[in-house]
Amino acid sequence: MDFIPSRIVTELPGNYFNAMKAKIALYRSRGIDVIDLASGNPDQPTPEHIVAALKEAVDKPENQGYPPFYGKSATLEAIAVFYQREYGVALDLETEVAVFSGSGIGVVGIPQSLLNPGDLLLTVDPAYPAYHAAAALAGARVHTIPAYEAEGFLPDYGTVPEELARQVKLLMLNYPNNPTGAVATAEFFERTLDFAARYGFAVLNDFAYGAFGFDGHKPVSLLQQPGGKEYGIETYTASKTFNMAGWRFGFAVGNASIIAALKHYHTQAYSTVFGAVQDAAAAALLGPQEGVAELGRLYERRRDVLVAGLRELGWEIKAPQGTFFAWFRVPEGYTAASFAACLLDEAQVAVAEGGGFGAQGREYVRVSLVNSEDKLNEAVDRIAAAGIFKRVKLTAGQEAVRHD
């Protein structure tokens, strides 16, 4: 007997990243050695002091039963210390902090906690695909603001029609940004909060890549800005900052009314977070941070290696400002899909075609920095050996002759 799924499940978009992984797996199953620059799974190990903290915590009887619904007090305190230390933001443990198993739960849960069917969610194009899935699960409508390279991939709120702006219930942002690698400025967040105040809606900043800004720039938190906690909430994850992707620990901080709604939703939908993982996360937040700084420097070195190598081939690209992704405009004559297919078929290098992140991504590919410098250099060598950019130059030259 085949049962029909609910309308919500039927209408959910496919998981873009799962489809991407399946395609790479198919090539590898045929014996093709693919260099995966498409995925965003951190390649460095979790720091040893965090692993040791988990091992110790597993043996504690308190972690072998149900943990507190709203999180262990020591974990909440660690989050507050972390935000005060890193961003100068004071948090009330009882009302302004929520914990969950991975920040993806916050990304889905906050729209579920705030929106009714038919409400309007505002976000940016291009965007992490999960934001559209989150809206679908809440039965919400979506309006996207195009973000352009010339404007630093920061949306212009002046382009939102007044009639739509009055309907917005939640604005979802993600800076530092996946996929573009763009980093928000304090001035941009100030404009964001002014916009929210004018129309009375909430703002979520997905701060998953908050640890990684390049060229000496530390990413700013939405909550650092005046009015940040009045209208805003921020999700954070241990996955990227501490190489704890498989551990599934995230949290949200900010506006007390949103946190209260999220905590109520979370206890019903997800229950609790394993106490030992909470203890390990506290050790990460309170422990030595030099490893985080070194990780940021590692990604910056990889960025420089990749950008320099690809520019030598004749690919005119801009370097990202943060995250561990680069967002490159494809050469003239290609779409994102056709160029990604070309790289995979001819150079055995997988990148994420930008159309999966929205209409504004149809001329871009996302390239990840979670590979060693040797692998990145090998990817450049493979692209060079395939002669892709020689053909691009030849085609461009022929077009110039025709135009003359």
Side-chain angles (χ1 to χ4, degrees):
M1 181 68 186
D2 289 331
F3 295 96
I4 300 173
S6 69
R7 187 179 66 187
I8 267 190
V9 169
T10 302
E11 293 178 355
L12 277 176
N15 188 305
Y16 172 66
F17 301 106
N18 187 56
M20 191 167 59
K21 288 179 179 293
K23 188 171 186 178
I24 294 169
L26 177 62
Y27 274 69
R28 286 174 171 169
S29 72
R30 297 170 178 168
I32 300 171
D33 177 26
V34 175
I35 296 178
D36 182 4
L37 303 186
S39 303
N41 191 9
D43 66 313
Q44 296 298 292
T46 306
E48 183 53 42
H49 72 278
I50 302 174
V51 176
L54 178 70
K55 290 177 178 177
E56 180 182 346
V58 166
D59 287 333
K60 294 180 179 178
E62 68 184 74
N63 288 326
Q64 294 164 16
Y66 294 123
F69 275 105
Y70 295 151
K72 301 178 73 171
S73 59
T75 307
L76 302 178
E77 176 66 32
I79 292 168
V81 169
F82 176 79
Y83 251 74
Q84 180 69 62
R85 184 188 73 225
E86 296 295 324
Y87 307 110
V89 174
L91 297 168
D92 184 285
L93 305 189
E94 297 295 323
T95 63
E96 295 178 339
V97 184
V99 298
F100 29 76
S101 297
S103 65
I105 288 176
V107 165
V108 170
I110 291 168
Q112 293 270 7
S113 303
L114 293 180
L115 303 179
N116 294 310
D119 282 347
L120 185 64
L121 183 149
L122 186 64
T123 192
V124 179
D125 179 0
Y128 184 51
Y131 304 156
H132 291 269
L137 286 167
R141 296 173 292 134
V142 178
H143 178 77
T144 59
I145 313 173
Y148 301 108
E149 186 172 322
E151 298 166 358
F153 295 111
L154 301 175
D156 178 0
Y157 299 124
T159 64
V160 181
E162 179 81 16
E163 182 181 352
L164 278 175
R166 288 196 300 266
Q167 300 173 48
V168 174
K169 299 292 184 180
L170 175 64
L171 168 62
M172 293 186 72
L173 299 174
N174 167 218
Y175 291 99
N177 184 259
N178 172 15
T180 66
V183 173
T185 62
E187 292 75 17
F188 169 73
F189 277 150
E190 288 173 10
R191 292 197 300 273
T192 299
L193 292 165
D194 287 345
F195 185 45
R198 179 178 176 185
Y199 294 102
F201 57 76
V203 181
L204 163 61
N205 183 44
D206 176 359
F207 206 32
Y209 302 92
F212 308 126
F214 301 145
D215 305 313
H217 299 297
K218 179 182 176 69
V220 296
S221 164
L222 174 69
L223 302 187
Q224 286 176 285
Q225 316 312 317
K229 286 197 290 185
E230 187 173 355
Y231 294 96
I233 187 169
E234 205 155 57
T235 53
Y236 201 94
T237 175
S239 297
K240 281 75 174 178
T241 305
F242 303 107
N243 287 316
M244 295 172 66
W247 299 54
R248 311 314 303 144
F249 181 82
F251 59 86
V253 293
N255 180 278
S257 63
I258 304 174
I259 291 291
L262 176 61
K263 286 161 70 173
H264 183 59
Y265 167 81
H266 185 270
T267 60
Q268 302 297 325
Y270 299 101
S271 189
T272 59
V273 179
F274 180 32
V277 168
Q278 292 192 53
D279 289 348
L285 294 164
L286 298 177
Q289 301 297 301
E290 177 52 35
V292 178
E294 176 53 39
L295 186 61
R297 291 191 288 268
L298 174 67
Y299 289 141
E300 186 170 349
R301 288 195 301 272
R302 290 176 176 182
R303 177 202 65 169
D304 293 343
V305 164
L306 180 64
V307 168
L310 293 175
R311 283 175 177 169
E312 285 184 10
L313 300 184
W315 193 357
E316 297 179 4
I317 52 178
K318 292 188 176 180
Q321 299 171 302
T323 76
F324 49 59
F325 295 115
W327 187 241
F328 295 150
R329 185 184 291 273
V330 301
E332 188 175 348
Y334 287 94
T335 65
S338 66
F339 190 64
C342 177
L343 290 179
L344 185 57
D345 289 336
E346 299 188 29
Q348 292 74 59
V349 174
V351 298
E353 69 96 352
F357 300 90
Q360 295 300 316
R362 291 173 183 162
E363 295 181 353
Y364 292 85
V365 291
R366 192 193 74 174
V367 183
S368 73
L369 304 175
V370 290
N371 284 273
S372 69
E373 291 179 30
D374 287 344
K375 275 295 179 185
L376 294 174
N377 280 321
E378 182 182 348
V380 172
D381 290 343
R382 288 188 184 189
I383 295 169
I388 295 169
F389 284 93
K390 290 181 180 178
R391 293 201 304 275
V392 169
K393 291 178 183 177
L394 179 62
T395 301
Q398 291 170 339
E399 285 295 326
V401 169
R402 281 199 288 270
H403 288 313
D404 288 345

